[in-house]
Amino acid sequence: MILIDDDALLLKALSRAILHIDFECELKAVNNPLEFAACVEELGEPDIIFSDLVMPECSGLEVLEQARIICPTALRCLLSGEVATDFSMQVDNLAHFYLAKPFTKAQLVDVINASKLLPLLGLTLEERSELGQLTKLPVLPETLIDTLRLLRLSPPLLEQAADLISLNPPLAAKLIQISNSAMLGFASPVHSVQQAVFRLGSEFTEAILTCFEIEKIGNQRISPKQLFEINNKAMKKAQLAKSLGPVLDLEKQDIEDLQVVCLLGAIGEICILQLSEHSFNWQMKEATTLSAYLLTLWGFPGDIVLGELICQSATLGAKKLTLAHAVLEDAIASQDPKWKASVQKILFEKELYDKAIDWRKRVSK
């Protein structure tokens, strides 16, 4: 891990805070940003780079642009005291994380957890490098990030989050629509954003907000028909999850998590279509891995992230969300035969094969 700041006191404070979170991590504090490249050459590619934005020798954006070239697999985190500035539209994916000073311990934990989760996604170094060098990956706007922070507090501040969502009428309407959908199956409708947020809870609300933002970005380059098909498939999977959950002996919370995983699975498919015009040649079957990668950068929990990796279910057999998501994907769309075989093998080993096959026949009728 490399920390870059011209303020020696801040460097010490940041080093102490990080070591308090992860005492085993290896840190290198750099006071002069012009020494960054030499530091990488000496120590090798770091897992994380923290860089201050404003420094006299060169800006943090210049440092992270350099990092994108010489160590593209590293997570890039920009630190700034300019709280009011929305950097999500300015840094063009130079920064995976943007922390406004004074940042909290929880924000540092999010960055460190993301760096530990990325190696579990099954991406090769070449794939990590390709993703790290892309300039067109979607970036969540600061307004959405602020709402997600409220939803991720313990306990979540649902009322304050609802107030922020209400400032965006199309988003508010979408949230109310989904809270009244057959996917949730409630008897009485809701009529306000606050009612919708309290009905959905923090995880569902996070998923819907994130999907809405990615759909809005995709609208600029993807046909309405393609967007409808992708979102319709995600909604169908989420609805089917309610009937599959009891078959696979999932608890109520696991079923809700599975529905969230299904909704978020649309993100990778939308992004692959969006990025295809930029020589991004991933196949649609790799969309689930791209979803997992982006959700990691956006601070989603590890179980939700790993639940997306249905094409790697052979190595994630112990992850029940991954397995259940794989069964749902098989029920909705065709997949690679080798992938199907690995799902069936895991189901058989977990003595769930007959149950899943019977369920698959029922939902196919």
Side-chain angles (χ1 to χ4, degrees), residues 136-155:
K136 300 299 179 182
L137 278 177
V139 178
L140 298 184
E142 193 68 20
T143 51
L144 175 54
I145 292 173
D146 288 341
T147 308
L148 295 183
R149 284 172 183 158
L150 293 173
L151 292 170
R152 290 170 180 171
L153 292 174
S154 182

Side-chain angles (χ1 to χ4, degrees), residues 169-200:
L171 176 56
K174 185 73 171 180
L175 206 66
I176 293 172
Q177 175 194 356
I178 292 180
S179 69
N180 290 325
S181 70
M183 178 185 74
L184 297 178
F186 286 97
S188 60
V190 300
H191 304 286
S192 71
V193 174
Q194 189 170 105
Q195 288 176 325
V197 170
F198 275 85
R199 168 174 287 184
L200 292 166

Side-chain angles (χ1 to χ4, degrees), residues 59-119:
S59 75
L61 295 180
E62 291 175 286
V63 171
L64 297 189
E65 179 62 74
Q66 195 176 19
R68 178 152 61 187
I69 297 169
I70 64 175
C71 47
T73 66
L75 282 182
R76 302 184 290 267
C77 187
L78 190 66
L79 312 175
S80 173
E82 301 182 36
V83 181
T85 304
D86 183 356
F87 278 97
S88 63
M89 302 304 295
Q90 297 182 23
V91 299
D92 195 21
N93 201 42
L94 279 179
H96 298 120
F97 291 86
Y98 166 67
L99 303 188
K101 301 174 186 176
F103 40 82
T104 65
K105 177 182 177 181
Q107 289 174 295
L108 291 176
V109 168
D110 285 344
V111 179
I112 292 170
N113 284 346
S115 73
K116 292 181 177 180
L117 189 54
L118 281 177

Side-chain angles (χ1 to χ4, degrees), residues 338-356:
K338 291 182 180 178
W339 170 80
K340 281 190 174 185
S342 69
V343 173
Q344 292 174 354
K345 180 175 182 292
I346 294 168
L347 282 169
F348 184 77
E349 289 174 351
K350 296 175 77 68
E351 298 180 351
L352 294 170
Y353 184 76
D354 291 338
K355 291 181 180 180

Side-chain angles (χ1 to χ4, degrees), residues 74-287:
L75 282 182
R76 302 184 290 267
C77 187
L78 190 66
L79 312 175
S80 173
E82 301 182 36
V83 181
T85 304
D86 183 356
F87 278 97
S88 63
M89 302 304 295
Q90 297 182 23
V91 299
D92 195 21
N93 201 42
L94 279 179
H96 298 120
F97 291 86
Y98 166 67
L99 303 188
K101 301 174 186 176
F103 40 82
T104 65
K105 177 182 177 181
Q107 289 174 295
L108 291 176
V109 168
D110 285 344
V111 179
I112 292 170
N113 284 346
S115 73
K116 292 181 177 180
L117 189 54
L118 281 177
L120 304 180
L121 305 188
L123 291 163
T124 65
L125 283 177
E126 290 76 17
E127 289 168 337
R128 288 271 304 271
S129 295
E130 181 181 17
L131 290 169
Q133 290 173 332
L134 280 175
T135 60
K136 300 299 179 182
L137 278 177
V139 178
L140 298 184
E142 193 68 20
T143 51
L144 175 54
I145 292 173
D146 288 341
T147 308
L148 295 183
R149 284 172 183 158
L150 293 173
L151 292 170
R152 290 170 180 171
L153 292 174
S154 182
L157 299 180
L158 299 182
E159 190 170 345
Q160 290 89 327
D163 290 340
L164 284 180
I165 295 166
S166 297
L167 300 175
N168 186 335
L171 176 56
K174 185 73 171 180
L175 206 66
I176 293 172
Q177 175 194 356
I178 292 180
S179 69
N180 290 325
S181 70
M183 178 185 74
L184 297 178
F186 286 97
S188 60
V190 300
H191 304 286
S192 71
V193 174
Q194 189 170 105
Q195 288 176 325
V197 170
F198 275 85
R199 168 174 287 184
L200 292 166
S202 58
E203 288 189 357
F204 260 123
T205 303
E206 281 186 58
I208 294 165
L209 300 184
T210 304
C211 289
F212 180 86
E213 187 61 41
I214 299 307
E215 182 179 343
K216 189 169 68 174
I217 295 170
N219 264 323
Q220 303 168 14
R221 300 182 179 89
I222 303 172
S223 73
K225 180 182 177 182
Q226 287 175 308
L227 277 176
F228 173 80
E229 289 175 349
I230 292 171
N231 289 325
N232 190 48
K233 186 182 87 169
M235 287 292 289
K236 280 185 177 180
K237 286 194 298 183
Q239 189 169 350
L240 284 173
K242 290 189 71 174
S243 67
L244 175 63
V247 172
L248 299 184
D249 301 318
L250 299 183
E251 301 291 337
K252 182 177 182 293
Q253 184 59 56
D254 293 329
I255 295 173
E256 291 181 2
D257 287 346
L258 178 58
Q259 290 180 294
V260 167
V261 166
C262 291
L263 291 177
L264 293 170
I267 290 172
E269 294 190 34
I270 291 172
C271 291
I272 280 183
L273 290 175
Q274 178 191 342
L275 292 166
S276 61
E277 62 187 62
H278 302 292
S279 301
F280 187 76
N281 297 317
W282 282 28
Q283 301 300 309
M284 195 54 75
K285 69 182 178 64
E286 298 169 301

